Amino acid sequence: MRVLKLSLAFFFLGLLNITAQESRVPAIIPQPQEITWQEGEFILPERAVICYGPNAKTSAEWLQQLLLNTNTETYSMKGEDCRGFSLEIEESLKENLGAEGYELKIEDDKVSFTAATEKGLFYAIQSFRQILPSALEQGRLNEEIRLPQVTITDSPKYEWRGSMLDIARSFFGPGYIKKHIDRMALYKLNRLHLHLTDDQGWRIEIKNKPELAEKGSMGAVKGGRSGYLTQAEYKEIQEYAAARNIMIIPEIDMPGHIYAALLAYPELNCDDNANLTPKRAIPPGLFHGYEVGWSKFCLDKPEIYDFVATVLGEVAEITDGPYLHIGGDEIEDERYEEFVVKADSIVRGLGKTAIGWEEVTKAKVDESFISQRWHGKTESVVNVKIIESICSHFYFDHANVEGQKLTNNWCKEDGVSLRDVYDFTSDNKSVIGVEAPLWTEKVLSDAAADNRFWPRTIALAEIGWSEDEDRDFVNFTKRLGMHGKRLDHLQANYFRTPEVEWNSEKGEGIFSGYMPEKEEK
Ligand code: TNX
């Protein structure tokens, strides 16, 4: 049994006002498995030593960076149990806490971080970060910092806690992607799925098929940005993410949603472009519309598999993680199943594991395949692991509140509210985690992407991490409200949902900060 102990601190003596006390207890999101606030404080000293055990040097550097904006001068050294800060890897913790779990203890004279791996230490540091004043996110804080004493023992519910960004419909470059990674890390998300290709644009350089980036990247939805990631940029993003315990999951969407490739390499089409129905665009024209399900490879041509192998081969080469996402959504063709089985075996031949949208489970894919559930209507012929992205809870291209402009509503007409996200539960044993996609047909700027991602991604993070019995929407919204300023400091243009009482004054109304209907046509 996981217990949530919240023995409220009386560290501000004389304050019997519950509200004031509660606001003194920092809000940690996702809710840790076990947390006990204690009486007493830890006052950040003028000088402190950060000592670290074997393999914990990088974590010590993260902590040191976190303390840079405080008045505490730190230096780090190898060693154990010093007064101040200590970071230790203890492999035996793996049994109970897994690779990502951790213990964090704030006592009167020291703060200790313990975990089985550096991933766990990274998360201990993120929890500590949320206990520190949010102003540190932005700049120097020239005042004494007093922290409540606490003991946290924590580990995630799911191994897969993901966010997806569609950079194909409308391009988002390394700058935005890194910002997104920073914010994901604060909330202990660990997978960033990049939807790299679609009808409107091809966004990743493939050296053996140079026209994909050169020609295929020129399109975008109406009003959206075009462009592509070079392989060097992709790798840099991947490294940046890995340092924050986030794995990049690249998606090459096939055999449908493929027009950008078909215009770059027209030989992948059938005669008379019979594979394009209706002909919403014809090579070499670009496609700027929103419609789906009208393009596919010419599945009768064996050559398409050379193309698939070349592309996936290069993507596999530049990708550190074990997964390649092959798409597989929204396409009708009698050779669909054959294609999926072949693409799966190409992926396995490259030493990777294939992921696909749930339609892939109409085909007899290998048992290693991972299916990403989004509408829940596919009749599956296989028993494979599942990533939950069910649209009624996790489609962040849908409105934050009913009537929000520039949103899709095919899955849920009144939008996907914070509460809709939070109310997700599953008792399906095949589910390895959750992931929320942001499709960008109608998301044309960084500000708009922020508005759709935040704060719903924070609710997603709690679903991915915390046990169902530790979850409570009212309690969550209270903690989330206390993150308003932190999100402001991180310059996240979050949607100030009326479901939350924010601790920040920014903006004037529920659409404050960002008004899509004003910014975009
Ligand atoms: C369905 S979800 C799609 C996307 C669209 C999205 C819009 C999925 C696998 N396919 O191509 O962008 O709906 O909500």
Side-chain angles (χ1 to χ4, degrees):
M1 245 307 271
R2 315 259 186 184
V3 276
L4 166 70
K5 281 187 249 155
L6 223 158
S7 80
L8 238 196
F10 284 90
F11 50 88
F12 283 86
L13 288 175
L15 278 182
L16 284 172
N17 173 331
I18 297 290
T19 334
Q21 275 172 23
E22 274 180 357
S23 71
R24 292 296 180 179
V25 176
I28 301 184
I29 309 177
Q31 178 66 49
Q33 306 289 5
E34 291 180 31
I35 176 163
T36 311
W37 297 102
Q38 278 122 4
E39 281 179 46
E41 296 174 325
F42 171 80
I43 303 174
L44 259 67
E46 270 173 40
R47 270 178 215 87
V49 182
I50 297 178
C51 59
Y52 55 90
N55 300 320
K57 184 162 191 255
T58 313
S59 306
E61 284 164 8
W62 276 118
L63 180 60
Q64 195 158 27
Q65 196 183 321
L66 195 58
L67 294 169
L68 270 186
N69 283 336
T70 67
N71 280 339
T72 304
E73 237 178 75
T74 62
Y75 76 89
S76 64
M77 60 175 232
K78 269 195 188 157
E80 44 182 69
D81 211 23
C82 48
R83 269 163 204 276
F85 298 89
S86 73
L87 298 125
E88 289 290 337
I89 300 241
E90 242 178 69
E91 275 166 32
S92 62
L93 285 178
K94 202 164 200 164
E95 207 176 306
N96 284 330
L97 297 180
E100 293 183 305
Y102 67 92
E103 287 173 352
L104 169 65
K105 233 179 154 141
I106 304 184
E107 297 169 277
D108 62 347
D109 60 349
K110 69 172 185 191
V111 181
S112 25
F113 305 76
T114 327
T117 70
E118 284 217 282
K119 294 177 184 189
L121 285 183
F122 183 78
Y123 289 146
I125 293 169
Q126 297 315 306
S127 291
F128 183 66
R129 178 177 169 191
Q130 294 189 3
I131 294 172
L132 288 170
S134 63
L136 294 173
E137 304 281 357
Q138 199 182 29
R140 197 172 175 84
L141 193 59
N142 248 326
E143 59 187 46
E144 187 180 68
I145 296 175
R146 293 164 171 261
L147 305 177
Q149 291 181 26
V150 71
T151 305
I152 300 178
T153 306
D154 201 7
S155 63
K157 174 179 167 86
Y158 287 122
E159 66 173 84
W160 194 285
R161 306 181 301 280
S163 177
M164 189 206 90
L165 178 59
D166 167 10
I167 65 169
R169 269 54 179 271
S170 172
F171 183 60
F172 291 81
Y176 185 77
I177 295 174
K178 284 184 185 169
K179 250 195 230 171
H180 189 56
I181 287 170
D182 284 338
R183 297 161 183 169
M184 284 174 66
L186 173 61
Y187 295 104
K188 305 189 177 88
L189 291 165
N190 66 357
R191 302 280 185 269
L192 175 60
H193 169 180
L194 293 175
H195 182 75
L196 292 168
T197 66
D198 215 300
D199 292 321
Q200 294 86 349
W202 185 281
R203 310 295 184 206
I204 181 75
E205 175 189 22
I206 302 293
K207 294 196 198 267
N208 276 304
K209 298 279 174 196
E211 309 275 282
L212 286 171
E214 268 160 43
K215 291 187 180 158
S217 75
M218 289 171 72
V221 283
K222 285 178 210 92
R225 296 177 294 212
S226 54
Y228 67 92
L229 299 175
T230 63
Q231 292 195 359
E233 285 170 331
Y234 177 86
K235 287 189 210 162
E236 192 194 314
I237 290 169
Q238 179 168 251
E239 214 172 290
Y240 190 86
R244 291 155 182 79
N245 194 34
I246 293 171
M247 189 193 287
I248 299 296
I249 313 297
E251 178 185 352
I252 305 294
D253 200 353
M254 306 176 291
H257 289 267
I258 194 72
Y259 182 72
L262 301 175
L263 84 86
Y265 290 93
E267 63 271 26
L268 301 170
N269 294 287
C270 302
D271 294 344
D272 302 327
N273 298 318
N275 52 315
L276 304 175
T277 40
K279 293 184 175 34
R280 303 210 179 270
I282 294 177
L286 296 167
F287 175 62
H288 298 290
Y290 299 140
E291 298 88 349
V292 295
W294 59 277
S295 76
K296 59 189 173 190
F297 282 133
C298 187
L299 291 173
D300 298 331
K301 285 190 176 175
E303 309 90 271
I304 61 163
Y305 292 101
D306 297 334
F307 177 87
V308 171
T310 303
V311 169
L312 291 180
E314 267 192 49
V315 178
E317 215 169 278
I318 57 173
T319 298
D320 295 333
Y323 305 108
L324 294 188
H325 199 304
I326 59 166
D329 55 320
E330 297 179 311
I331 201 69
E332 296 280 321
D333 194 288
E334 51 190 34
R335 297 195 121 167
Y336 172 78
E337 281 87 349
E338 175 193 344
F339 177 86
V340 170
V341 168
K342 284 188 177 161
D344 175 27
S345 83
I346 291 173
V347 171
R348 281 182 291 121
L350 293 164
K352 304 278 188 191
T353 298
I355 307 176
W357 298 104
E358 64 172 86
E359 290 94 319
V360 291
T361 62
K362 291 192 281 189
K364 285 210 172 72
V365 287
D366 189 75
E367 60 182 22
S368 61
F369 208 103
I370 300 175
S371 164
Q372 190 164 6
R373 186 166 177 266
W374 61 285
H375 53 63
K377 294 178 190 145
T378 306
E379 280 183 33
S380 172
V381 301
V382 286
N383 222 335
V384 293
K385 290 183 189 159
I386 295 169
I387 299 164
E388 261 298 355
S389 295
I390 193 74
C391 56
S392 48
H393 294 270
F394 298 136
Y395 264 37
F396 292 175
D397 61 338
H398 280 51
N400 281 289
V401 282
E402 191 168 5
Q404 185 176 21
K405 297 270 167 29
L406 288 168
T407 56
N408 283 325
N409 66 358
W410 60 265
C411 178
K412 210 164 161 290
E413 221 166 283
D414 59 344
V416 172
S417 67
L418 187 70
R419 172 146 221 160
D420 291 332
V421 183
Y422 201 81
D423 279 351
F424 174 83
T425 55
S426 170
D427 48 19
N428 185 337
K429 293 273 180 300
S430 303
V431 169
I432 58 166
V434 290
E435 181 179 301
L438 181 59
W439 301 102
T440 57
E441 290 99 326
K442 299 181 178 178
V443 181
L444 309 177
S445 64
D446 294 358
D450 272 11
N451 172 282
R452 304 295 187 275
F453 272 133
W454 308 100
R456 290 182 290 189
T457 300
I458 303 176
L460 171 87
E462 184 144 307
I463 289 166
W465 186 280
S466 310
E467 296 293 334
D468 289 359
E469 63 262 31
D470 292 341
R471 292 210 262 126
D472 170 76
F473 186 65
V474 173
N475 175 287
F476 170 70
T477 51
K478 277 195 185 145
R479 278 179 290 123
L480 179 56
M482 289 163 70
H483 278 230
K485 279 190 184 142
R486 194 173 293 273
L487 291 167
D488 286 342
H489 292 318
L490 292 169
Q491 290 170 10
N493 188 48
Y494 61 100
F495 174 72
R496 295 174 64 84
T497 172
E499 296 160 284
V500 171
E501 225 174 280
W502 299 99
N503 69 351
S504 116
E505 299 297 322
K506 204 177 151 194
E508 290 145 18
I510 61 165
F511 288 112
S512 60
Y514 167 66
M515 293 192 172
E517 49 273 67
K518 281 197 177 161
E519 272 182 32
E520 290 155 6
K521 279 155 227 126

